[in-house]
Amino acid sequence: MTMKTFLALALSLLCAVPAASATKWPGGAKAAVVLTYDDALDSQLDNAVPALDAARFKATFFLSGLKVSAVPRWRAVGAEGHELANHTLFHPCPASKFSADPRYTSEAYTPASMLKEIEQQNVLLTALDGKPTHGFASPCGQTMAGGVDYLEALRAAKLVTYARGVYTSPDDLRADVGRIDPMHVPSRGFPEGVTGAQLIEFAKEEAAGGGMAVYLFHGVGGDYLQVSDAAHRELIAWLAAHRKEVWVTTLQGALDWAKAHPDPQQ
């Protein structure tokens, strides 16, 4: 083995080891687990919420395209202590990703019109949960409007308390949570067919590194981009059996805790 090969191998092994988080989680927990659900889907109300409530866990639901018939149920979800958060009114994504009304593709927006829509969704959310501020998740995990990134404009406007993005690299979730830019909070989605064991493994990885595992779900036992109800319940059961090791909370709750309990050595 040449010296160059040895150094490359050593570097790859070093990068594969999760960095310890400086955040000290409540009750001596090793990590925080945040369960987030996008798009205000019926399967979340029918399957995810009952499983969460049975385990006494609180989660974060990013609402978009809200149905009038579902308003009372989502209001009840918020009243139970789950976080209701902003996912825009019309979920604008690039036209190349989904077939949609041309008016509601991200290409048809400007940063100003995107911020206006986010502001209007905040009004709806406040009508549901009575809270003056809300977090945000970018539709399709992208932050372009008419070819221009709107995230810094959103930060300056102070319309949201954080912006959740998507998981792109293991390194995204290895940083100290207290140092995460609240406008660039990473999360991890999973393909259809994911098993309960695979969902649990993500929580175990973060517990080993002391970080924060942010799950991104859509359908739960129904709708689209779905995880099966059985796999989801298996994850919930594992989290319930390991309450001392992992703290399950809302995304706003985890970020607030990390901000209020910084590492004194930093």
Side-chain angles (χ1 to χ4, degrees):
M1 179 183 294
T2 66
M3 179 59 69
K4 182 177 181 180
T5 302
F6 174 80
L7 291 174
L9 177 61
L11 180 61
S12 68
L13 292 174
L14 177 64
C15 292
V17 178
S21 170
T23 301
K24 305 302 179 184
W25 300 111
K30 297 178 181 178
V33 168
V34 176
L35 306 175
T36 73
Y37 304 80
D38 287 10
D39 299 353
L41 302 177
D42 289 342
S43 65
Q44 296 165 5
L45 291 168
D46 294 339
N47 299 321
V49 172
L52 291 164
D53 288 347
R56 306 189 309 280
F57 290 149
K58 305 305 177 187
T60 299
F61 294 87
F62 291 100
L63 305 189
S64 182
L66 196 63
K67 301 176 183 177
V68 173
S69 60
V71 166
R73 297 182 73 185
W74 284 114
R75 182 176 285 118
V77 169
E80 287 296 319
H82 297 286
E83 179 186 3
L84 305 184
N86 196 318
H87 203 36
T88 73
L89 288 170
F90 300 112
H91 201 282
C93 285
S96 60
K97 284 184 174 289
F98 296 104
S99 176
D101 187 319
R103 295 173 298 172
Y104 303 125
T105 62
S106 58
E107 290 87 350
Y109 281 65
T110 65
S113 63
M114 182 67 76
L115 266 60
K116 185 62 177 179
E117 182 170 318
I118 293 169
E119 182 179 26
Q120 292 171 329
Q121 180 73 339
N122 276 343
V123 173
L124 174 58
L125 291 171
T126 298
L128 288 175
D129 63 15
K131 297 181 179 180
T133 60
H134 296 89
F136 171 74
S138 54
C140 295
Q142 65 88 38
T143 59
M144 303 296 285
V148 179
D149 196 305
Y150 63 84
L151 203 56
E152 288 308 311
L154 182 60
R155 186 200 301 272
K158 299 182 179 179
L159 290 175
V160 298
T161 55
Y162 64 79
R164 192 215 66 193
V166 297
Y167 178 95
T168 57
S169 161
D171 291 335
D172 289 341
L173 294 178
R174 287 175 183 158
D176 170 23
V177 179
R179 295 183 179 182
I180 288 178
D181 181 346
M183 298 304 290
H184 292 274
V185 180
S187 64
R188 180 176 178 180
F190 296 84
E192 290 192 343
V194 65
T195 66
Q198 290 170 325
L199 293 175
I200 291 167
E201 186 60 30
F202 181 39
K204 288 181 177 179
E205 290 171 358
E206 292 311 307
M212 176 175 70
V214 182
Y215 289 76
L216 190 170
F217 295 118
H218 289 84
V220 178
D223 295 308
Y224 50 84
L225 298 176
Q226 64 173 287
V227 58
S228 71
D229 187 34
H232 181 263
R233 287 183 179 276
E234 189 175 344
L235 170 64
I236 298 298
W238 186 90
L239 294 172
H242 295 80
R243 294 179 190 272
K244 294 184 179 180
E245 299 174 39
V246 292
W247 178 45
V248 180
T249 186
T250 64
L251 186 47
Q252 189 69 67
L255 295 173
D256 286 348
W257 176 273
K259 182 178 180 180
H261 299 81
D263 180 5
Q265 296 182 356
Q266 292 182 2

